[in-house]
Amino acid sequence: AQSVTQPDARVTVSEGASLQLRCKYSYSGTPYLFWYVQYPRQGLQLLLKYYSGDPVVQGVNGFEAEFSKSNSSFHLRKASVHWSDSAVYFCVLRSTGNYKYVFGAGTRLKVIA
Amino acid sequence: ETAVFQTPNYHVTQVGNEVSFNCKQTLGHDTMYWYKQDSKKLLKIMFSYNNKQLIVNETVPRRFSPQSSDKAHLNLRIKSVEPEDSAVYLCASSHGLVEQFFGPGTRLTVL
């Protein structure tokens, strides 16, 4: 069965610091992976996606993620966070050939001054 | 404007009432979804339609029923709401098997 684990429920970082949000997945094939962000009282917005090719993918607002098949991971990174990055971040897996998307539990990011 | 639209934004109702939520996408996508997001932000897929055909129907109470009139619309009806139905209901769409686009959500409170 497919699964996505985001081991950190909450992360607090200082404004201007670097960020890494962790994501581990379980899937026997090659997954399609996504990171979404949810700001308060809003729907989910796509940050970036990985289908194949270069394991480092660039997203919006300076976010990037690195896919590792050997580690079954898809960690999200940002070099310098801003207070407006405070939100909930979801790592999502879609297996090939069906319409099911598997969501992680989310990581709530708080950026402090 | 191309996006996923949901109405209403909020709905407060009493136990036992019937509610309906609307979702419309103007992205030209062929697949639409309903998710339930609880107070801990956990998302659970409820239904998925591809070209008006039901393709995903997770184990949800029978009082929940999706209604699809065409590829651009997927509504959700809840007959006789229960307190545990209080949540945010998110509608999403995709074109084939690529990324999903989400609406802003409908927040349901059952008193």
Side-chain angles (χ1 to χ4, degrees), chain A residues 13-113:
Chain A
V13 297
S14 298
E15 192 168 21
S18 63
L19 170 71
Q20 177 171 277
L21 300 182
R22 296 183 292 164
C23 173
K24 299 275 286 184
Y25 68 88
S26 174
Y27 177 57
S28 57
T30 299
Y32 291 2
L33 293 161
F34 310 87
W35 274 99
Y36 284 85
V37 60
Q38 186 177 32
Y39 299 104
R41 306 283 178 170
Q42 295 187 27
L44 280 69
Q45 301 173 29
L46 181 69
L47 278 178
L48 46 78
K49 60 190 178 187
Y50 174 80
Y51 293 159
S52 65
D54 190 338
V56 179
V57 291
Q58 304 296 320
V60 298
N61 297 332
F63 285 95
E64 69 174 27
E66 183 167 5
F67 169 71
S68 171
K69 188 173 178 66
S70 59
N71 293 325
S72 298
S73 67
F74 189 56
H75 300 329
L76 181 71
R77 302 189 296 240
K78 187 171 184 179
S80 177
V81 296
H82 187 263
W83 65 267
S84 60
D85 293 324
S86 295
V88 180
Y89 292 78
F90 293 94
C91 181
V92 183
L93 172 154
R94 184 181 65 71
S95 55
T96 53
N98 64 46
Y99 291 90
K100 284 192 178 183
Y101 294 75
V102 180
F103 284 74
T107 297
R108 187 180 295 271
L109 173 66
K110 182 177 181 181
V111 180
I112 58 176

Side-chain angles (χ1 to χ4, degrees), chain B residues 64-108:
Chain B
F64 289 85
S65 60
Q67 299 167 319
S68 177
S69 56
D70 55 47
K71 288 194 302 183
H73 296 84
L74 182 63
N75 300 331
L76 180 67
R77 186 179 73 164
I78 314 174
K79 290 174 59 177
S80 189
V81 295
E82 300 286 340
E84 60 264 31
D85 298 337
S86 293
V88 175
Y89 292 86
L90 291 165
C91 177
S93 71
S94 70
H95 188 69
L97 302 178
V98 292
E99 67 267 27
Q100 298 173 304
F101 290 78
F102 285 82
T106 294
R107 183 176 298 273
L108 173 66

